[in-house]
Amino acid sequence: MKKVVSSSIVFLFIITVVVAQNNPKNLPFNWKTDTANRIVSLDEFTALLMPDGIPPIDEPKFWDREKAENNYFTHEPVVALEISGEAKAYPLSVLMYHEIVNDEAGSKKVTITYCPLCNTAVVYDRRLEFEGVTYLLDFGVSGMLRNSDLVMWDRQTQSWWQQLTGEALVGKLAGARLNLVSSMLISLEEFFETYPEGKILSTETGHFSEYGSNPYTGYDALTNEQPRLFKGEVDPRLPAMERVIDIQIESEYKIYPLSSFEKTDVINDQFKDTPVVLFHTSKTVSVVDKKNIAESKQVGSVTVFSPLVEGELLHFEKRENGFRDMQTGSEWNIAGKCISGIHKGKSLTPIPHGNHFAFAWLAFHPESDIFSE
């Protein structure tokens, strides 16, 4: 009798999860998630695929510079990170078909994430301290969206996580937040100019995919006023598909529309009395424009740093081959490395940031300050 009662409870639990979610395809979920422990309503999630229907990469393989340059193109956009002297890059053309890579860099356990619908590439630390317990998490693609953004799930507790914010929304870890790992979205060429010994994620993923092709043709056109699977109201302050760069200072956010760089490649600014500098180059292309990504329009790269070097506040301007600080005349590149001058060999301190579509960012952070010239 007890076995029958137990089975009924499990059956009712499964039905509850399916009904509570927006599940237009009636997918037969069997989550073990504690859905009673949540900080948002279950009806905010839309289920479109079974868990890991988009397969994450758990055992990534990497190429050196020569092989990478023979398989990718010069303006290929990559998520780049450097940790304890180890530099790695992850092409968006591969991430588009996997959305998550569980990896390690410089002895730090990281997860590299990308949501093409929101153009959101974010890197998180997979180690988590929450309520006195230490976790080492690895993540999968839940098959669900919320505000058009990827919802991740961890395999240790089956909690559901918002990709753009790094916050657990449903499950045992609801309320926890992953630590952001500083990264840059730059071109393949810029990555290897800065890190000639760096490694880049290969296409040897164990899955057959048309890497280099874009299934979202024309998606990022500024005339596109209705993002896919976004049911909320688009914030009218910016075009839905305007790219924005975000920074966070003292728990408050400021965003810089990519259009701000049409007249300048450097923005010297401050937010909450904290000085920042943003560098822009035009080399990186969109991955959600043309069918063949290599033929897509250039949208450029933006990186963000503290302009303080050894206590001195530097003011920057664009030069033909990079950026120059006006105090010492030293030359710097897009990755914040000084390549000539009195500061040669030094690096600017990166300020964690992301590059997102405006509709997605403002759906989660409508209170953000918006930069204007």
Side-chain angles (χ1 to χ4, degrees):
M1 182 65 179
K2 289 183 180 181
K3 185 175 182 180
V4 173
V5 172
S6 177
S7 298
S8 299
I9 292 172
V10 171
F11 176 75
L12 288 173
F13 170 76
I14 295 171
I15 293 299
T16 300
V17 174
V18 172
V19 171
Q21 295 168 292
N22 293 310
N23 185 14
K25 296 183 180 180
N26 294 316
L27 299 172
F29 291 106
N30 190 18
W31 288 105
K32 297 178 182 178
T33 307
D34 179 6
T35 55
N37 190 39
R38 60 181 184 266
I39 60 175
V40 300
S41 174
L42 293 179
D43 62 10
E44 294 185 20
F45 299 86
T46 298
L48 299 170
L49 296 170
M50 294 295 289
D52 290 347
I54 296 174
I57 299 175
D58 294 310
E59 298 180 358
K61 297 180 180 179
F62 293 85
W63 288 333
D64 60 17
R65 180 173 187 171
E66 180 179 4
K67 191 159 186 180
E69 290 179 339
N70 287 332
N71 286 272
Y72 297 119
F73 63 97
T74 300
H75 294 166
E76 183 102 32
V78 301
V79 179
L81 64 155
E82 178 191 15
I83 301 175
S84 300
E86 183 176 14
K88 288 186 171 182
Y90 306 81
L92 294 191
S93 60
V94 178
L95 287 172
M96 179 175 296
Y97 289 92
H98 297 280
E99 300 193 356
I100 293 175
V101 179
N102 293 299
D103 196 16
E104 180 177 349
S107 75
K108 184 183 287 290
K109 306 291 186 179
V110 295
T111 187
I112 295 84
T113 71
Y114 178 63
C115 176
L117 294 183
C118 297
N119 192 53
T120 304
V122 190
V123 181
Y124 293 110
D125 190 334
R126 291 196 284 129
R127 292 190 181 277
L128 173 71
E129 298 281 344
F130 184 63
E131 295 184 342
V133 180
T134 299
Y135 297 88
L136 176 58
L137 305 172
D138 55 272
F139 292 90
V141 180
S142 72
M144 295 183 287
L145 297 175
R146 178 172 173 264
N147 286 336
S148 191
D149 182 54
L150 161 66
V151 175
M152 312 185 297
W153 68 289
D154 72 75
R155 294 169 182 153
Q156 285 66 37
T157 73
Q158 293 200 18
S159 298
W160 302 348
W161 301 76
Q162 193 74 60
Q163 181 259 353
L164 188 146
T165 65
E167 186 177 20
L169 304 176
V170 179
K172 181 178 181 179
L173 301 179
R177 190 179 292 271
L178 299 171
N179 290 321
L180 195 66
V181 175
S182 184
S183 63
M184 303 177 289
L185 187 57
I186 57 178
S187 70
L188 179 83
E189 178 183 47
E190 291 166 329
F191 174 73
F192 282 122
E193 284 178 351
T194 306
Y195 309 105
E197 303 301 319
K199 303 295 183 182
I200 189 165
L201 180 68
S202 78
T203 59
E204 299 169 4
T205 62
H207 299 274
F208 176 78
S209 291
E210 297 182 15
Y211 301 123
S213 67
N214 164 33
Y216 306 102
T217 304
Y219 182 61
D220 66 347
L222 289 180
T223 54
N224 179 7
E225 298 179 354
Q226 186 54 57
R228 292 192 183 187
L229 301 168
F230 183 69
K231 299 178 180 179
E233 293 187 9
V234 173
D235 193 303
R237 290 175 290 174
L238 290 171
M241 314 311 282
E242 169 80 87
R243 286 172 165 82
V244 296
I245 314 303
D246 74 275
I247 62 171
Q248 178 182 2
I249 305 291
E250 299 177 3
S251 301
E252 295 188 25
Y253 296 98
K254 186 171 186 176
I255 57 175
Y256 298 79
L258 192 62
S259 57
S260 302
F261 297 91
E262 291 178 353
K263 296 180 181 179
T264 180
D265 285 315
V266 179
I267 293 177
N268 296 283
D269 194 25
Q270 68 174 17
F271 179 48
K272 307 295 292 183
D273 296 323
T274 298
V276 298
V277 62
L278 293 85
F279 293 161
H280 172 263
T281 63
S282 59
K283 294 182 178 180
T284 307
V285 305
S286 168
V287 295
V288 285
D289 177 29
K290 301 295 184 184
K291 178 68 175 177
N292 180 0
I293 293 174
E295 298 174 355
S296 294
K297 63 189 176 188
Q298 290 185 321
V299 293
S301 307
V302 177
T303 52
V304 189
F305 304 97
S306 167
L308 293 170
V309 177
E310 297 180 343
E312 182 180 14
L313 177 61
L314 303 180
H315 191 88
F316 291 86
E317 62 181 357
K318 184 69 171 68
R319 302 296 288 176
E320 182 177 356
N321 296 317
F323 308 88
R324 183 178 71 175
D325 73 73
M326 300 171 68
Q327 282 67 35
T328 73
S330 298
E331 302 278 344
W332 307 75
N333 68 11
I334 186 69
K337 309 291 184 181
C338 187
I339 54 180
S340 69
I342 191 173
H343 290 307
K344 184 176 181 180
K346 297 177 183 176
S347 299
L348 298 175
T349 301
I351 292 179
H353 60 280
N355 185 325
H356 323 280
F357 288 141
F359 85 87
W361 178 263
L362 292 172
F364 292 104
H365 297 293
E367 76 288 354
S368 298
D369 188 13
I370 301 177
F371 172 81
S372 61
E373 297 180 70

